[in-house]
Amino acid sequence: MESAAAAAAAMAMVVVLGMGGAAAAVSGAGTAAGAGAGGIAPEADVSHHGHVSLWGSGLGVWVQSVNRGPSNLAGVTVRVRVSVSLSGRQELPESCLQADRLTVLCRTGALRTDEAEGRQLALELQLAGRPDEVVVRVDTLWNGGATDRNPRNNDHEVLAPATGDEYVF
């Protein structure tokens, strides 16, 4: 299981660095990108909120990612993990990739502290079979090395029964 986590982390770096191109992924007010004065990591409060919906073999995942600061972020990698295997290759937004049969990774782009709306992500995933329910986990895999003192608002687990209803996180 640990090798899968390592592979996912490596894929996240490809998503963030390969698509973003910037090796220094965090910027604070008045400091250079990366660690602030004295090598201290900048602080940012990333939060993810949204909803999931399961119908038949389709799973919709809608995520809004916001940075409450105090430092701006050049990008964040959001990880969406499901308890039921995805069915083959998924049609994903350009900013996303399928890391394995249970995981999708998406980059947000820059998350500035003054953006109330943050970044929106909408996924329509196809699951193997027609499960009665699925557990969806949404979290931050990578944030450029920033310190996040409130990770409770960016790590979520939602049980979605196959009702077609929206289950909020």
Side-chain angles (χ1 to χ4, degrees), residues 68-152:
R68 306 229 184 270
S71 298
N72 295 327
L73 298 175
V76 168
T77 301
V78 178
R79 176 173 45 192
V80 176
R81 293 178 288 170
V82 295
S83 62
V84 175
S85 293
L86 299 170
S87 69
R89 189 175 194 97
Q90 302 291 308
E91 289 188 38
L92 300 170
E94 186 177 301
S95 62
C96 300
L97 62 81
Q98 185 174 344
D100 59 37
R101 63 186 182 84
L102 300 172
T103 310
V104 173
L105 304 173
C106 298
R107 68 179 177 91
T108 63
L111 286 178
R112 299 181 47 83
T113 61
D114 58 356
E115 293 178 319
E117 294 298 313
R119 298 284 184 245
Q120 306 278 331
L121 169 65
L123 299 172
E124 188 173 322
L125 304 173
Q126 296 302 310
L127 303 174
R130 298 173 60 90
D132 292 331
E133 62 186 27
V134 64
V135 176
V136 180
R137 293 173 184 86
V138 176
D139 64 356
T140 300
L141 180 63
W142 185 84
N143 70 359
T147 300
D148 187 340
R149 295 180 191 216
N150 186 17
R152 291 179 310 280

